[in-house]
Amino acid sequence: MPRYIFQLMIAEIIFSIVFSFIFRINNVLISLFGAVVSSLYLLIDLHMVMNNKSHMLTLDDHVFASIMIYTDLIRLFMKILEILDKMNNDKKEKKK
């Protein structure tokens, strides 16, 4: 399953490059898609930390697990800020 999430993240990067350079669209949907992918990464990493039986993390991997969860939370927070910024810019453009 993490392989498919990685493919979704690569698709997000490609779509954001295409939409930003070719179409010049400030699209909220791309940021929403990125937030969904980030939350899926967070869920997978939390499952890896909480369920030691079938995954690669052991009790000695506390630092690695906390860094994984921390980076997932930061990425999700950044995507939420992107969504709010794009929505705010759209409201400003409509008022003009």
Side-chain angles (χ1 to χ4, degrees):
M1 178 139 173
R3 182 181 70 201
Y4 300 119
I5 305 299
F6 180 72
Q7 292 171 352
L8 286 174
M9 186 177 70
I10 297 297
E12 172 201 352
I13 292 170
I14 292 171
F15 283 130
S16 62
I17 290 171
V18 168
F19 280 125
S20 65
F21 289 119
I22 295 175
F23 297 120
R24 304 270 184 209
I25 295 175
N26 192 8
N27 203 346
V28 177
L29 293 176
I30 294 173
S31 296
L32 283 172
F33 182 69
V36 168
V37 171
S38 298
S39 62
L40 288 174
Y41 263 116
L42 180 63
L43 288 174
I44 288 171
D45 289 343
L46 284 173
H47 181 70
M48 286 174 60
V49 168
M50 294 172 68
N51 189 8
N52 312 8
K53 297 175 186 174
S54 63
H55 290 76
M56 62 183 165
L57 293 179
T58 62
L59 292 176
D60 297 329
D61 293 332
H62 295 297
V63 175
F64 179 67
S66 64
I67 290 173
M68 285 188 337
I69 293 172
Y70 178 74
T71 55
D72 291 339
L73 287 173
I74 294 297
R75 179 174 159 83
L76 182 61
F77 180 69
M78 293 298 290
K79 288 296 177 182
I80 291 171
L81 286 178
E82 281 181 24
I83 293 168
L84 294 175
D85 182 47
K86 289 179 181 181
M87 290 174 64
N88 191 20
N89 288 340
D90 289 343
K91 287 181 183 178
K92 286 181 182 178
E93 289 177 4
K94 287 182 181 178
K95 287 183 180 180
K96 290 182 179 180

